[in-house]
Each structure stands twice: as structure tokens, then as C-alpha cells.
Amino acid sequence: MTTHVVVMGVSGSGKTTVAQGVVARTGWVFAEADEFHPRANIDKMSQGIPLTDEDRWPWLHDLAGWMAAHAAKGEDTVITCSALKRSYRDVLRADVAALGGAHRVVFAHLDGAAEVIAARLEGRKGHFMPPSLLQSQIDTLEALDIDEDAVVLDLTAAPDVLIDRVMAHLGD
């Protein structure tokens, strides 16, 4: 069985820090979802224009394909991805599930107050996502459903605590 952890949440929630911590503990293959965005998406966000579902579908399918390619080789993965809507999370699960066999996709949702995240974004340098788009992401975010394999994390906790919670959810 392969396992695929999607560290999710709005921009500035700490996805990369937690994902890299999980990778450090597991040795699993890592990808940063931002690196899969086509130039048009990056340009749009850089201009303060929120992405639409139509902008996101190809990107999500590329991420799902990356996970499925590693699953097909028997490799576990950790990926960062906002995964804001249930339909987006369904796409991320679908290509892995299509392989058949036992594969697990776990969502680790970094959740917290908009004010805390906004303060983090204001201090972040060199990222294409401007703080002005935070509210559009918050508005788009759909809570995890009971049938999703997930853990919700308080993003104000120390990184090691967050990573411990992810590892506990994974059963390690």
C-alpha cells in the first residue's frame, strides 16, 4: 500500500514547513504544488486575480498524475496543495484510486484565524501569491467531510507538534 499526504490550507498557513517535516521523518518523495502551476496561473495570481475552477483543473490533474506515477512505482509521497474544495480533493484522490490496489490519500489541513495567516503573508517575501488573495481562498475553502481521511491542525502550534499530529494520524 502506498500513502500520499496532501498538506493543505490557504496560502501562508505553513504547508511547506509541515510537509518538509513529514518528509524529513519518512523519507518520502516531496513536491511543492506551486511548482506545477502554469505560467498563466502564476501571472494571474501575481496580479491579484483569484484563480477560477477552470484555471485549477489542469493543475490539479497534473498533481494527481504526479501522485499516481509515484504510487505506480510503490513510492509514498508528500505534497503541498491548497486543496480548498472537496471537488479538488476528489481529483487528487481519483488518479491514485484508478490504479487499483491499496493506496491511501491523507489530507493534513492547516487551519487557523485569517488574521494570523494575513500577518504571515505580509512578512513573506518572494512569493507570487499576494496577501490580497487570502480572502478569496478563505471564501473558497470547504471543510473536510467525515468520509475524507484527514487531520485538521491548528496552524498556531509549533511545527514539531503539527508534524507529530500528522505522523500520529498516519499511524507511525
Side-chain angles (χ1 to χ4, degrees):
M1 174 167 88
T2 62
T3 301
H4 309 275
V5 177
V6 178
V7 182
M8 63 170 283
V10 298
S11 185
S13 60
K15 295 183 293 289
T16 300
T17 299
V18 172
Q20 289 176 338
V22 172
V23 168
R25 294 195 190 178
T26 62
W28 295 353
V29 182
F30 172 70
E32 179 74 57
D34 285 345
E35 295 174 7
F36 288 74
H37 272 300
R39 182 85 240 156
N41 284 7
I42 292 170
D43 291 346
K44 227 176 159 175
M45 289 183 282
S46 296
Q47 296 168 28
I49 302 168
L51 297 180
T52 65
D53 285 353
E54 291 69 32
D55 296 323
R56 287 187 177 105
W57 294 128
W59 171 69
L60 289 162
H61 283 289
D62 286 348
L63 297 175
W66 179 88
M67 290 167 49
H70 285 282
K73 295 188 285 185
E75 296 174 340
D76 302 303
T77 66
V78 180
I79 192 166
T80 61
C81 178
S82 53
L84 299 173
K85 290 184 179 181
R86 168 68 189 243
S87 59
Y88 302 168
R89 298 187 295 269
D90 289 345
V91 167
L92 294 173
R93 280 190 290 268
D95 283 1
V96 176
L99 293 172
H103 304 284
R104 182 180 182 197
V105 178
V106 176
F107 295 94
H109 178 202
L110 289 157
D111 191 31
E115 299 78 22
V116 172
I117 300 166
R120 288 181 177 183
L121 287 175
E122 289 296 334
R124 188 161 72 171
K125 305 286 184 246
H127 195 275
F128 59 81
M129 174 82 172
S132 62
L133 289 181
L134 175 60
Q135 191 59 51
S136 72
Q137 285 199 331
I138 291 169
D139 293 345
T140 302
L141 180 64
E142 295 174 356
L144 290 154
D145 288 321
I146 192 84
D147 65 329
E148 294 183 275
D149 188 349
V151 58
V152 178
L153 307 166
D154 176 353
L155 60 79
T156 63
D160 281 341
V161 171
L162 297 170
I163 296 159
D164 287 346
R165 293 236 13 244
V166 173
M167 298 308 296
H169 185 82
L170 293 172
D172 289 350

